[in-house]
Amino acid sequence: MLTKATNVKYIKEENQRISTLLAFALIPLSGFATDIYIPSLPTMAGEMQVSSVQVQLTLSIFLISYGISQLFIGSILDSFGRYKIGLISLVIFAVASIIIAITHNIYLIYLMRVIHGLTVGAIVVAKRAYFVDLFSGDKLKHYLSLFSIIWSTGPIIAPFIGGYLQTAFGWESNFYFLAGFALIFAVLEFIYSGETLKNFSNFQLKTILNVYLNMIKTASFTLGIVMLGLAYCMVMVYNMTGPFIIEHELHFSPVIAGYSSLILGFAWMVGGFIGKATINKPFFKRLLINSLLQVVFVILMIISINFISNIWSLIFFAFIIHIGAGFTFNNYFTYCLSKFPNNAGIAGGLTGGITYVIVSFLSYGIVNLFPAKDERNLSFSYIVMIMLSVLVMFLIMKTRKKDEVGA
């Protein structure tokens, strides 16, 4: 049942262009919230006198809460609107960031990272819905096609900024930056944006749960989400271990760690562009070739460590492997969303939510199995995830023999 809301501040037509730019600018927020303090992880562990695993857990906790948030926030936004929830979430995110900056208590930081995940989930999903509310046809397709490219700017730019902030002002400055970013956008949203949802639906939990259940019971869809989780987990494992290898083992500065993450962010983007360029090629054939290339390069990485192990070899092999991960993610994200065109919103939330939950648990488990010690351990982490990807891909092929992905 749909109802027309009253006493709602709807977006003004003359502000729509500025509001659209603000929506695009907020899409990479999840990447900023995880990647900006990556170069600071070793310093945070040292200053708070906690282990590397404890400080790495701040990333996993964010990913879990961000993933869980996406599972249910779409239905809430459909029932109660996008604008107010998004605006309030920006303010809460800023407050949580300030609390992280002024405390050195790792457990309080854990709590604030839960709040970060929940609020970022609300903000990002609300902004995705913004475009569906206001645009249609070719214009909507054009905007949606920009999402993955714009999102990837977060993981590319954030570590680069974070490395300089860490060197100049300390790790706390990363979270002051996030707080300032959120507050500035909250003010701009208040001035220029407004509600875009015209008809509010009743919140019917039973109906929503049935849709979720039917999607999860579709084996190829669920396995496709597992592939997304494995692909992004390769990036997250590097994010959790790379700074420790570069700063502790190779004795470079946080700025160099930030540059390294920036380079690997480009690798992910390149993989996405290759995925988009090959969209009309046979789906499973191109994914199989990609997986085999990843296996070859990770084996070469393991062998090469016996002869050379420095920052250049580390970045070279990680760059190639991350291109493959970006390619996999791009293809399987389209694959999963195309499964349920009549429930694309819920499918998108479910896909994103479960993906981040998988990434959070798997990445934390892998860095415990192969601690952030050296390039050899990183290569072992990669080969575990790549071999799991190959196994899951064959399971998908078995459960969906006649599947073909359309353009």
Side-chain angles (χ1 to χ4, degrees):
M1 180 180 176
L2 302 176
T3 58
K4 185 76 173 181
T6 58
N7 298 322
V8 173
K9 178 192 171 186
Y10 284 100
I11 188 171
K12 296 178 181 178
E13 188 173 348
E14 61 267 26
N15 291 338
Q16 194 174 113
R17 178 173 294 182
I18 297 177
S19 184
T20 299
L21 292 175
L22 293 175
F24 271 128
L26 285 170
I27 286 175
L29 183 58
S30 60
F32 267 94
T34 55
D35 290 40
I36 194 167
Y37 74 105
I38 283 172
S40 299
L41 289 176
T43 303
M44 291 175 67
E47 291 190 6
M48 290 189 287
Q49 297 183 337
V50 297
S51 69
S52 61
V53 173
Q54 283 178 288
V55 77
Q56 287 163 348
L57 186 57
T58 62
L59 290 169
S60 298
I61 286 174
F62 172 84
L63 293 172
I64 293 170
S65 55
Y66 178 55
I68 292 173
S69 174
Q70 291 185 75
L71 293 177
F72 63 81
I73 196 64
S75 302
I76 293 175
L77 292 169
D78 285 344
S79 298
F80 303 101
R82 291 76 156 95
Y83 173 65
K84 284 185 179 180
I85 293 175
L87 186 61
I88 293 170
S89 295
L90 279 169
V91 175
I92 295 174
F93 176 86
V95 172
S97 298
I98 293 172
I99 292 174
I100 292 174
I102 63 178
T103 182
H104 281 205
N105 186 309
I106 190 67
Y107 297 104
L108 183 56
I109 292 175
Y110 289 160
L111 177 60
M112 292 303 104
R113 291 297 281 169
V114 171
I115 294 173
H116 269 181
L118 296 175
T119 52
V120 171
I123 294 162
V124 171
V125 176
K127 289 309 173 186
R128 289 176 191 160
Y130 168 95
F131 291 93
V132 179
D133 291 341
L134 293 183
F135 306 106
S136 60
D138 291 338
K139 195 167 187 178
L140 176 61
K141 290 180 182 178
H142 168 69
Y143 282 141
L144 294 180
S145 69
L146 295 174
F147 275 16
S148 62
I149 297 172
I150 292 173
W151 175 85
S152 64
T153 59
I156 292 173
I157 297 173
F160 175 72
I161 295 173
Y164 278 101
L165 288 174
Q166 159 66 41
T167 302
F169 306 108
W171 68 265
E172 297 90 348
S173 60
N174 294 307
F175 295 97
Y176 283 124
F177 177 90
L178 290 175
F181 179 93
L183 289 175
I184 289 171
F185 274 88
V187 172
L188 293 173
E189 282 279 304
F190 181 77
I191 296 172
Y192 294 108
S193 195
E195 185 56 62
T196 55
L197 181 63
K198 302 301 181 185
N199 296 304
F200 292 65
S201 62
N202 288 334
F203 189 80
Q204 296 178 327
L205 186 60
K206 185 176 180 180
T207 302
I208 295 168
L209 289 176
N210 284 335
V211 174
Y212 283 158
L213 185 60
N214 288 333
M215 289 182 179
I216 293 172
K217 288 165 69 175
T218 305
S220 58
F221 174 75
T222 304
L223 290 171
I225 296 175
V226 174
M227 286 295 292
L228 289 172
L230 287 166
Y232 192 56
C233 190
M234 295 182 202
V235 176
M236 190 52 57
V237 165
Y238 175 84
N239 288 346
M240 297 170 77
T241 61
F244 289 94
I245 298 171
I246 292 172
E247 296 176 37
H248 288 175
E249 177 72 16
L250 302 177
H251 307 294
F252 287 99
S253 70
V255 172
I256 299 301
Y259 274 118
S260 301
S261 295
L262 183 148
I263 292 170
L264 296 184
F266 275 116
W268 178 270
M269 182 181 283
V270 169
F273 277 124
I274 295 173
K276 187 174 182 180
T278 58
I279 191 69
N280 293 322
K281 302 294 183 181
F283 181 76
F284 288 113
K285 182 178 179 179
R286 67 178 186 266
L287 266 297
L288 181 60
I289 293 172
N290 175 65
S291 295
L292 292 176
L293 287 173
Q294 283 186 303
V295 170
V296 169
F297 274 97
V298 77
I299 291 173
L300 289 174
M301 183 180 184
I302 294 172
I303 295 172
S304 71
I305 293 169
N306 296 312
F307 305 98
I308 182 172
S309 181
N310 56 38
I311 192 169
W312 301 109
S313 63
L314 172 69
I315 298 303
F316 171 77
F317 284 110
F319 189 89
I320 300 298
I321 291 167
H322 285 210
I323 288 177
F327 181 86
T328 299
F329 193 93
N330 178 279
N331 280 280
Y332 273 101
F333 195 75
T334 304
Y335 175 93
C336 288
L337 293 188
S338 68
K339 292 289 294 182
F340 302 99
N342 294 328
N343 298 105
I346 294 178
L350 191 62
T351 299
I354 296 178
T355 296
Y356 276 91
V357 172
I358 291 171
V359 170
S360 59
F361 283 107
L362 185 59
S363 60
Y364 187 68
I366 288 177
V367 298
N368 273 276
L369 183 62
F370 302 109
K373 187 176 70 171
D374 52 26
E375 186 178 346
R376 188 179 301 276
N377 272 13
L378 179 62
S379 66
F380 291 157
S381 300
Y382 281 145
I383 199 166
V384 167
M385 290 179 284
I386 291 169
M387 295 311 295
L388 286 173
S389 297
V390 172
L391 175 62
V392 174
M393 187 176 66
F394 278 113
L395 289 174
I396 294 174
M397 293 171 65
K398 186 176 180 181
T399 58
R400 190 177 181 265
K401 294 180 181 179
K402 297 181 180 180
D403 268 5
E404 290 181 2
V405 175

